[in-house]
Amino acid sequence: MNIPTVALVGRPNVGKSTVFNRLVGERVSIVEDFPGVTRDRIYATSEWLGKPFRLIDTGGIEMIDEPIMKQIRYQAEIAMDEADVIVFLTSGREGVTDADEELAHFLHRTNKPVVLAVNKTDNPEQRQEIWDFYSLGHGDPFPVSGVHGTGFGDLLDEIFQLFPKEEQEAETEDTIKFSFIGRPNVGKSSLVNAILKEQRVIVSDMEGTTREAVDTYFTSESGRHFTMIDTAGIRKRGKVFENTEKYSVLRALSAIDRSDVVCLVIDAVTGIREQDKKVAGYAYEAGKGIVILVNKWDAVDKSDNLFEEFTKDIRAHFQYLSFAPILFVSAHTGQRLNKLPELLEMIYDNRHRRVQSSVLNDVLMDAVAMNPTPTDKGRRLKIYYMTQVAVNPPTFVAFVNDVELMHFSYERFLENQLRESFYFEGTPIRLITRERQ
Ligand code: GDP
Ligand code: GDP
């Protein structure tokens, strides 16, 4: 499924990040245990009336040392590239400014729909003052207040009206979508090219239906279909903002969202860096399948136990990714790259495995017999029943007497039992606890 994307643009101080937080609300998952990127709050997935959408705050992509007018133009460009609908934010307090006019002018170049919103319209009297904003030439202004949370229902209704209808992914459903994610220069583009050479297939380069992403489709020797999602941003190189870290992260995030399996690329020469962890954290939060690729294996001096040491290092830095297989590869020599398609197939299949409830409950009973459920103040956790509610990633619901009694460590234990019994290598699994009515 292609989730539609909204970008917020506006001059500094109109309230973009305040409005962003309003639109995303509490629904953003923020996991404190590991360095996820969602806390940076420039990109989030949310929903309105049960329908998902993505939101980008272009103001969060800092353009160091650029004058304001230039920053605004870059932000507008990013929005025009990435979004299905652009929300042009202004402020009712300050009225129409030169920077607003400049931005309005710039946004006239896009054929994407633009919705004009007037923020800081905190009370009804101020709503009368929004007429000035018609002069920007972007249609009816929508009054909102980021601080008070008013006006967002109408704004979201309008946004959803303007999303492209029948957004269709060109690929069929049973294609395995994957992407290479990692810092600049770890070898993502080289890996894309090496895979194409390795697969010795005729590749059809197709423009994405709505966005500029270039996907590549190929079929492996075993006959499975793959979609390789471009993230390297190769075609955008040279634009100033391409080099800003947050923008490259942003592109990576939208690719992760579209992937079934994410190949996290680590440079064998430079080793693990902080930025590697950020993107890995996001892929994990998004519930994606993960392979860790250690690239440039040709370029390291293979001392006695480099292999073991690297593996240990990765496991220590990415503890929450203990389910992810590690593959040591070289884009230059092609070493072990032939193993990647079968690994991706395996993970894809693991993610789509459905476990029968009866079998699941046998495993649950054995688990509880082996390791009794925790107690608190004389009350013991009772797990009545477990059932699988979703695939991709596999998601289980456990019905219990009291959710407060389910401890993190016991959840971990159950997750491990499920992994041992049903083989979910390469994919996160989710365990949800519900109280039985
Ligand atoms: P950004 O630079 O566009 O991301 O703007 P911020 O979200 O950081 O907001 C800039 C300032 O405007 C902050 O001091 C906010 O508290 C204030 N602000 C944001 N939304 C509103 C609003 O709806 N009403 C009022 N009165 N102030 C707001
Ligand atoms: P990207 O920014 O992640 O797309 O990285 P590139 O694919 O552009 O590669 C960055 C640099 O690393 C280039 O100079 C490549 O030639 C080099 N490189 C990529 N893969 C390998 C590899 O497997 N071995 C060696 N020795 N160098 C590599």
Side-chain angles (χ1 to χ4, degrees):
M1 186 177 49
N2 229 345
I3 302 180
T5 302
V6 185
L8 281 179
V9 295
R11 59 178 176 77
N13 267 322
V14 288
K16 288 183 297 301
S17 59
T18 311
V19 165
F20 180 91
N21 289 333
R22 269 292 168 194
L23 287 171
V24 167
E26 302 301 311
R27 285 162 290 208
V28 149
S29 67
I30 299 174
V31 181
E32 298 293 345
D33 296 353
F34 56 83
V37 274
T38 43
R39 250 168 298 160
D40 288 358
R41 290 267 171 164
I42 57 161
Y43 180 90
T45 304
S46 187
E47 55 162 50
W48 172 242
L49 304 177
K51 291 192 212 114
F53 67 98
R54 297 193 185 103
L55 188 62
I56 302 170
D57 172 10
T58 59
I61 302 163
E62 73 279 341
M63 315 278 165
I64 307 135
D65 296 339
E66 297 284 347
I68 287 193
M69 287 299 182
K70 266 199 163 164
Q71 288 188 24
I72 287 175
R73 291 175 70 157
Y74 288 144
Q75 285 168 10
E77 270 189 57
I78 291 170
M80 281 151 53
D81 282 351
E82 305 286 332
D84 296 303
V85 171
I86 298 167
V87 173
F88 174 12
L89 202 64
T90 56
S91 163
R93 284 222 158 163
E94 286 86 13
V96 177
T97 69
D98 288 352
D100 291 332
E101 275 169 0
E102 170 85 6
L103 189 49
H105 182 66
F106 204 71
L107 288 173
H108 277 126
R109 294 188 198 172
T110 181
N111 50 11
K112 305 267 174 84
V114 174
V115 185
L116 178 63
V118 183
N119 189 35
K120 310 193 189 181
T121 316
D122 299 338
N123 53 55
E125 301 89 77
Q126 284 171 318
R127 274 176 217 155
Q128 298 303 316
E129 290 157 23
I130 66 171
W131 307 118
D132 278 354
F133 289 87
Y134 275 102
S135 69
L136 293 173
H138 282 286
D140 295 336
F142 282 75
V144 296
S145 167
V147 166
H148 296 286
T150 50
F152 290 102
D154 288 346
L155 181 66
L156 282 161
D157 283 344
E158 177 71 6
I159 291 168
F160 271 79
Q161 284 279 325
L162 293 170
F163 279 146
K165 302 278 176 283
E166 294 293 307
E167 255 205 35
Q168 275 173 1
E169 290 265 306
E171 63 263 28
T172 53
E173 270 311 304
D174 62 350
T175 175
I176 302 171
K177 298 189 214 90
F178 71 102
S179 50
F180 295 106
I181 304 291
R183 288 182 287 121
N185 284 320
V186 292
K188 297 179 295 296
S189 330
S190 309
L191 283 164
V192 167
N193 292 326
I195 287 283
L196 296 181
K197 225 163 90 192
E198 177 69 39
Q199 292 300 316
R200 281 185 247 99
V201 283
I202 299 167
V203 181
S204 54
D205 258 6
M206 271 200 228
E207 286 287 316
T209 44
T210 52
R211 243 147 273 141
E212 295 204 2
V214 178
D215 293 347
T216 314
Y217 306 91
F218 67 89
T219 305
S220 71
E221 269 170 26
S222 64
R224 300 283 291 263
H225 303 300
F226 290 84
T227 302
M228 189 154 57
I229 297 168
D230 168 61
T231 44
I234 302 160
R235 292 157 355 105
K236 298 200 172 193
R237 253 174 211 168
K239 285 195 187 177
V240 180
F241 51 77
E242 179 57 34
N243 297 324
T244 70
E245 185 198 321
K246 283 197 176 167
Y247 186 56
S248 62
V249 169
L250 180 79
R251 289 193 64 81
L253 298 189
S254 69
I256 291 172
D257 278 334
R258 293 186 55 220
S259 301
D260 296 305
V261 185
V262 170
C263 301
L264 175 67
V265 186
I266 290 171
D267 188 324
V269 179
T270 60
I272 300 161
R273 296 282 174 80
E274 209 46 45
Q275 206 187 325
D276 294 329
K277 295 192 194 174
K278 277 194 173 188
V279 183
Y282 184 83
Y284 176 76
E285 276 184 65
K288 300 302 178 176
I290 298 175
V291 177
I292 299 171
L293 288 184
V294 182
N295 188 36
K296 309 194 187 178
W297 199 238
D298 62 288
V300 289
D301 182 14
K302 285 169 211 61
S303 59
D304 297 340
N305 42 15
L306 182 68
F307 184 85
E308 284 79 7
E309 269 166 24
F310 225 108
T311 305
K312 235 168 79 186
D313 219 30
I314 289 171
R315 293 302 180 209
H317 278 96
F318 301 95
Q319 284 181 17
Y320 54 94
L321 298 185
S322 56
F323 58 82
I326 305 173
L327 198 60
F328 294 83
V329 300
S330 164
H332 277 188
T333 68
Q335 190 183 14
R336 274 189 286 271
L337 274 183
N338 60 338
K339 297 242 184 297
L340 188 61
E342 49 190 88
L343 207 55
L344 296 172
E345 284 170 30
M346 176 201 75
I347 296 174
Y348 183 86
D349 293 342
N350 289 349
R351 289 171 68 72
H352 286 82
R353 177 162 304 117
R354 279 193 186 275
V355 182
Q356 270 184 3
S357 290
S358 55
V359 182
L360 196 58
N361 284 288
D362 285 347
V363 169
L364 178 64
M365 267 167 58
D366 287 349
V368 173
M370 186 158 60
N371 182 3
T373 53
T375 56
D376 188 29
K377 297 194 192 81
R379 291 192 67 218
R380 182 176 290 282
L381 172 72
K382 282 202 194 87
I383 308 173
Y384 300 114
Y385 185 72
M386 199 188 270
T387 186
Q388 183 174 0
V389 292
V391 295
N392 201 32
T395 305
F396 301 89
V397 173
F399 291 96
V400 302
N401 57 337
D402 183 352
V403 291
E404 299 288 317
L405 294 170
M406 177 65 98
H407 290 265
F408 177 71
S409 59
Y410 202 75
E411 229 167 58
R412 262 291 160 82
F413 162 72
L414 287 178
E415 188 184 320
N416 287 335
Q417 294 306 113
L418 292 176
R419 285 191 176 283
E420 274 178 26
S421 309
F422 304 115
Y423 198 68
F424 290 120
E425 186 174 9
T427 181
I429 60 177
R430 294 202 159 134
L431 183 58
I432 299 163
T433 319
R434 288 266 158 76
E435 260 161 54
R436 200 176 65 170
Q437 302 302 321

